[in-house]
Amino acid sequence: MKHSDIRTTSLPSGEKVPVLGQGTWFMGEDRRQAQREVEALRLGIDLGMTLIDTAEMYGDGGAEEIVGEAIAGRRDEVFIVSKVLPSNASRKGTIAACERALKRLKCETIDLYLLHWRGGYKLHDTVAAFEELIETGKIRAWGVSNFDTDDMEELFDVSGESAVAADQVLYNLTRRGIEFDLLPFCQNRTIPVMAYSPIEQGRMLGHPALAKIAKAYETTPAVVALAFVINQEGVIAIPKSSTPQHIRDNRKALDLKLSPEHLAVLDSAFPPPQRKQRLAML
C-alpha cells in the first residue's frame, strides 16, 4: 500500500490495511450522480483512504460499477471489499455472485469478500465457496458482516478462527454495544472490525458534546466522531461521502488523537455498554 503516513491495522494474514477507508452505500443509485461519486472516491484514494467497501446490494450492483470506474488504472493502489447477499450465498450462488461483482468492478480479484449477513444457506456451503474463490484467485480473503459473537463461534466451528479476515458491523458513538463483547472478542483474535455508518449517517452530529470537543480541536463534529471509532484497536471505519470537503474532513480524523478528558466527555454523553446488547443493524 502507498501513503506510508496512513495508520493501518493488520488482517489475520499479517497484511496491513488503512484504518480509514471509504464506503459506497447509496452510491450507484442515480446515474446523474455517477461522475460526482467516481470523483469523490478518487479524491479519497489520493488522500490515502485506499480501502473501498462496496456490495452487490448497493444500487443493485451500481455501487460496484462506480468503484470500477473510480479505480480504473489504479487497481494496485486500492484494497477492495465487497459483499454477497445471503440470498445468493449457496455454494454455487456465492461463486456466481462474485463473478458478477468482478465484472462490475472491472477487475480480476476482490481483496476481501464478505457474507453480508446470515441467511438461509448453511455456513458450510458459503465457506466452501469462499475457499474455492481463493483457490481460483477471484478473492484474496473472506469474512463476514453483521455477525455477533455466537455467530462467530459457529463460524469458527466450520472454518477455524484463522480463516476469517474481518467482521463488518454497525459501530459508532451511539451504537457502542460491540464494546462489551464482540469488539474484544475480535481484538483477541486479531480479526479487524469494520465499522459501517461510523457517524450514524450524520444523525449524531448535532450533539452538544461533539460540538464542544470539535471546537476545542478546531475541527468538525464528524471528525471527532470518526476519530473516536478509528482510535479503537483493530477497527476500520468506512464512512461514505460524495462531497470533496467531507472527504477531506474524514481524512483529518486520522490525525486527531482525543485526550483522556475528551474521551471521558464522550463516555458521559454516549455511555459505553454495561451488559450484553443485541447486535445493532441498519
Side-chain angles (χ1 to χ4, degrees), residues 85-97:
L85 281 165
S87 56
N88 290 332
S90 66
R91 182 160 186 169
K92 289 184 178 179
T94 299
I95 292 169

Side-chain angles (χ1 to χ4, degrees), residues 170-190:
L170 177 61
Y171 177 52
N172 57 54
L173 276 166
T174 66
R175 311 273 194 162
R176 296 181 65 176
I178 67 166
E179 292 178 17
F180 186 80
D181 53 355
L182 180 61
L183 181 56
F185 177 94
C186 290
Q187 288 170 333
N188 290 337
R189 292 160 177 80
T190 323

Side-chain angles (χ1 to χ4, degrees), residues 160-172:
E161 292 184 9
S162 62
V164 185
D167 186 11
Q168 183 178 128
V169 295
L170 177 61
Y171 177 52
N172 57 54

Side-chain angles (χ1 to χ4, degrees), residues 35-68:
Q35 190 56 38
R36 178 168 166 260
E37 292 167 347
V38 167
E39 291 172 358
L41 291 174
R42 288 176 178 167
L43 174 60
I45 296 170
D46 291 341
L47 295 175
M49 294 179 285
T50 53
L51 183 150
I52 301 177
D53 175 82
T54 190
E56 66 172 342
M57 184 185 80
Y58 303 162
D60 291 328
E64 288 175 325
E65 293 176 350
I66 294 294
V67 173

